[in-house]
Amino acid sequence: MLNLIIKDTFNKELPADSIQENTRRQVTEACFSFVTPKKTSNPKMLHVSDEMAKELGFSAEEIASEAFKNVFTGNEVYPNTYPYAMCYGGHQFGHWAGQLGDGRAINLFEIVYNNKNWALQLKGAGETPYSRTADGLAVLRSSIREYLCSEAMYHLGVPTTRALSLALSGDQVLRDVMYDGNAAYEKGAIVCRTAESFLRFGNYQILAARGDVKTLKTLVDYTIKHHFSNLGNPSKETYVSFFKEVADRSLEMVIHWQRVGFVHGVMNTDNMSILGLTIDYGPYGWLEGYDDGWTPNTTDNTHKRYRYGAQPEIVLWNLYQLANALYPLIEEAEPLEAILEYYQEKFPEVYIQMMREKLGLFSSKETDDKLVSDLEEVLQKTETDMTIFFRLLANVSKKDTVQEAIKKIEKAFYTPSEFVDEIKLAWEKWCQNYLERLQNETTSDKEKKAKMNAVNPKYVLRNYMAQLVIDDADKGNYTLLNELYELLKKPYDEQPKYEKWFAKRPEWARNKVGCSMLSCSS
Ligand code: AMP
Ligand code: MG
């Protein structure tokens, strides 16, 4: 038996959908619908995050128990809990899409452990009133990607939802991965995700879009009471401070994404957490060659709306939509506009500061803006691996000559033969400026290296690495899943035994489905 301290608030304090049948429909004047997870034919736990399990207070016996397996695959409802799916809407690729909602996420319960509140949610546990035309299920491939990446992001210090467990359902799920008429059966899987809350911008937007100001106010007051209690009692001023804090947290999140080279892939407003957490790991990817214009999401190929370089602007666009949703409670545009302007002013400042840290510059000089923009340009002249470049840059010493510095970073270039003429000159010029800039620093080489290595990860979940785990897991082999899970717990450490993962993307993975090309099909 599991011993959990249940403290449900969402499904106790907020208005529920009055209909209890699990039929697909528009749900009005409610924040959620009660729904029971689907029983699966042969559930099997594949992995449990020991770190997350510890945070939640699970003992080793509990993790190994039948009850754990059954509860976290949706086959057993924990006593006195009432699972539910949330109602939200969203802007998808810039267009208002109306009601979306948890189409395949089912919230189980909220628990308290060590004075922290956690919501636990299953992804892929069957249909809900919000499933629209889809089946409410998830496949092993996308579940592995969410499970591994959300934990990896946590260990990288990026605000994120987390994952407790990954299980096979034992059922087959039909998917057309590239939407080209080649549907095939894949193994069904269920991830149990955790977060303080899974509320998204879209939860507020749907209520504002329907003119349901009463429920909107109830939801905002609930959010402030439970998640932003430092802001005080509900009032117009508190709502403005709430929006300011969401803006600050979202900015912090996206700066981290830019720092580690993470591309979310689908930054729709329904995928924006109100707590500023990275949420909904779908067709995300990691920059290998540094490229402002890159997105892994083939569904976004034409406009590349959610490309790496656009992510901070898209956060701002999404904040505009949230501001519109909160407006009926504030009835004044000016304070909201001021916060949106503040975001625009603040972004370049925090971005440069983050880049200074990546470059090992601990004082600030006005010329740093130019040094950073020149670097962004030079990094794209010939394909240069972002992670490897910044990690190796830490080895550059103040005393190095330009040639010595280049020798130390050249492993980051994908096509060394291109490193001639204009490209070589541009790199030499940048290194020259960088070495000159380093002379203004008082930090020793050793201290600089340690500080740089604390912000420039050595190991990230490269797209092809996740795919290798998936290929093995499809065949029932989970050794690599375990290995990468362990590796990614300490992304900033040298970990010599895993050195083989400190390598550029292999050539076979350049244009392979799952490695550089991902769709929303999951
Ligand atoms: P996403 O693009 O994964 O953020 O999903 C957008 C919307 O589609 C959300 O409302 C999801 O819950 C829903 N959705 C995605 N996949 C499925 C699925 N297999 N079954 C039901 N709903 C889904
Ligand atoms: Mg989503």
Side-chain angles (χ1 to χ4, degrees):
M1 200 54 233
L2 305 176
N3 184 15
L4 300 173
I5 305 173
I6 304 291
K7 193 189 157 208
D8 282 338
T9 61
F10 197 93
N11 61 0
K12 292 237 159 92
E13 296 177 24
L14 292 168
D17 176 5
S18 56
I19 305 172
Q20 300 239 354
E21 268 162 60
N22 195 353
T23 51
R24 292 152 202 232
R25 58 182 179 270
Q26 292 292 308
V27 173
T28 55
E29 292 172 38
C31 293
F32 65 94
S33 308
F34 288 109
V35 56
T36 309
K38 185 177 178 232
K39 293 225 181 325
T40 72
S41 62
N42 188 16
K44 186 177 168 224
M45 267 300 152
L46 293 185
H47 207 276
V48 175
S49 160
D50 49 2
E51 307 266 327
M52 191 64 235
K54 206 165 126 203
E55 285 270 355
L56 296 173
F58 287 107
S59 67
E61 294 75 56
E62 283 177 314
I63 294 171
S65 68
E66 277 294 295
F68 186 93
K69 180 180 80 179
N70 289 335
V71 168
F72 297 114
T73 53
N75 285 289
E76 200 179 298
V77 174
Y78 190 76
N80 302 315
T81 64
Y82 309 92
Y84 59 96
M86 290 185 185
C87 178
Y88 56 79
H91 278 86
Q92 296 188 314
F93 297 94
H95 304 281
W96 177 243
Q99 178 181 299
L100 298 165
D102 285 333
R104 54 142 163 208
I106 299 180
N107 294 272
L108 294 180
F109 40 70
E110 293 167 66
I111 63 176
V112 202
Y113 188 72
N114 268 345
N115 294 320
K116 274 200 203 154
N117 296 303
W118 295 95
L120 278 76
Q121 181 181 82
L122 300 183
K123 192 165 173 181
E127 64 184 90
T128 76
Y130 310 95
S131 296
R132 298 181 292 158
T133 57
D135 56 12
L137 304 174
V139 293
L140 181 58
R141 149 177 70 79
S142 64
S143 305
I144 288 178
R145 286 170 50 82
E146 168 136 17
Y147 182 78
L148 272 183
C149 196
S150 64
E151 285 301 274
M153 291 279 270
Y154 169 75
H155 294 295
L156 282 164
V158 184
T160 180
T161 63
R162 296 192 57 187
L164 171 66
S165 60
L166 167 70
L168 282 174
S169 63
D171 300 312
Q172 296 287 307
V173 175
L174 191 63
R175 286 290 181 271
D176 184 357
V177 181
M178 280 294 138
Y179 303 119
D180 57 5
N182 289 310
Y185 280 100
E186 300 184 43
K187 291 182 184 174
I190 297 168
V191 169
C192 175
R193 311 198 277 195
T194 59
E196 186 189 316
S197 164
F198 290 100
L199 279 164
R200 304 139 190 273
F201 288 11
N203 291 78
Y204 308 86
Q205 283 186 285
I206 189 73
L207 300 169
R210 288 170 169 164
D212 183 359
V213 180
K214 181 169 167 251
T215 313
L216 176 67
K217 182 173 183 327
T218 309
L219 180 61
V220 172
D221 290 354
Y222 165 89
T223 311
I224 292 171
K225 175 179 163 199
H226 291 285
H227 307 294
F228 296 81
S229 57
N230 57 311
L231 300 179
N233 294 327
S235 70
K236 288 196 181 185
E237 289 72 43
T238 309
Y239 299 146
V240 172
S241 320
F242 166 57
F243 182 62
K244 163 89 170 28
E245 191 155 334
V246 177
D248 275 327
R249 290 191 192 198
S250 307
L251 175 57
E252 191 191 329
M253 172 190 78
V254 77
I255 287 286
H256 278 290
W257 291 0
Q258 304 308 97
R259 173 174 67 84
V260 298
F262 174 80
V263 185
H264 182 284
V266 200
M267 294 174 69
N268 293 336
T269 55
D270 51 301
N271 290 340
M272 289 289 294
S273 145
I274 202 73
L275 300 181
L277 307 173
T278 312
I279 192 172
D280 279 9
Y281 290 82
Y284 68 81
W286 294 82
L287 282 192
E288 288 173 315
Y290 182 94
D291 178 359
D292 270 348
W294 186 71
T295 173
N297 185 358
T298 50
T299 317
D300 191 20
N301 237 344
T302 333
H303 301 294
K304 298 200 182 343
R305 178 179 170 86
Y306 298 140
R307 62 191 182 277
Y308 173 69
Q311 296 191 123
E313 257 173 73
I314 292 290
V315 167
L316 177 65
W317 193 93
N318 289 341
L319 284 167
Y320 266 98
Q321 311 315 316
L322 180 65
N324 280 332
L326 297 178
Y327 176 81
L329 301 184
I330 298 167
E331 293 175 307
E332 260 184 279
E334 208 227 47
L336 293 168
E337 280 163 6
I339 293 164
L340 295 164
E341 267 164 42
Y342 152 87
Y343 178 101
Q344 279 164 286
E345 282 161 21
K346 188 102 185 149
F347 168 70
E349 267 172 47
V350 287
Y351 177 75
I352 287 294
Q353 186 48 34
M354 176 275 285
M355 288 301 282
R356 276 195 193 103
E357 287 166 27
K358 282 183 83 67
L359 291 171
L361 304 174
F362 304 102
S363 62
S364 87
K365 290 203 79 178
E366 248 167 54
T367 50
D368 293 344
D369 287 9
K370 174 94 169 73
L371 188 71
V372 167
S373 59
D374 286 350
L375 174 64
E376 288 163 354
E377 219 173 277
V378 83
L379 276 171
Q380 299 183 70
K381 283 191 183 288
T382 176
E383 195 179 9
T384 308
D385 194 275
M386 178 179 178
T387 305
I388 296 179
F389 167 75
F390 281 105
R391 191 71 186 187
L392 293 179
L393 193 67
N395 298 330
V396 170
S397 149
K398 275 187 207 174
K399 296 193 299 285
D400 281 344
T401 62
V402 168
Q403 296 313 322
E404 282 165 341
I406 286 178
K407 262 254 131 339
K408 289 182 177 170
I409 55 135
E410 68 186 4
K411 190 187 155 198
F413 299 132
Y414 275 86
T415 321
S417 61
E418 279 181 15
F419 193 73
V420 287
D421 307 332
E422 188 256 340
I423 295 177
K424 183 162 177 270
L425 282 174
W427 266 104
E428 285 171 351
K429 184 150 178 265
W430 186 82
C431 282
Q432 176 79 44
N433 291 338
Y434 176 60
L435 288 166
E436 273 167 28
R437 175 65 180 83
L438 278 184
Q439 307 311 314
N440 300 115
E441 294 291 314
T442 51
T443 355
S444 69
D445 281 342
K446 194 171 161 219
E447 201 185 328
K448 172 176 80 69
K449 177 169 173 164
K451 286 185 169 175
M452 286 173 80
N453 283 354
V455 292
N456 295 318
K458 178 165 177 180
Y459 303 103
V460 295
L461 182 61
R462 289 169 183 273
N463 314 308
Y464 84 91
M465 289 161 64
Q467 190 57 39
L468 290 175
V469 173
I470 292 164
D471 291 344
D472 277 5
D474 263 333
K475 293 179 217 133
N477 181 346
Y478 309 108
T479 316
L480 203 51
L481 171 68
N482 281 302
E483 176 171 334
L484 294 196
Y485 175 81
E486 291 303 323
L487 164 76
L488 296 168
K489 269 188 194 173
K490 295 196 167 99
Y492 300 101
D493 288 8
E494 286 301 326
Q495 304 192 73
K497 70 172 172 172
Y498 292 129
E499 192 71 25
K500 68 168 185 222
W501 298 116
F502 182 60
K504 284 171 281 197
R505 170 205 61 229
E507 211 39 43
W508 61 260
R510 181 182 290 274
N511 294 312
K512 190 176 179 313
V513 172
C515 295
S516 61
M517 292 198 289
L518 292 142
S519 74
C520 288
S521 160
S522 54

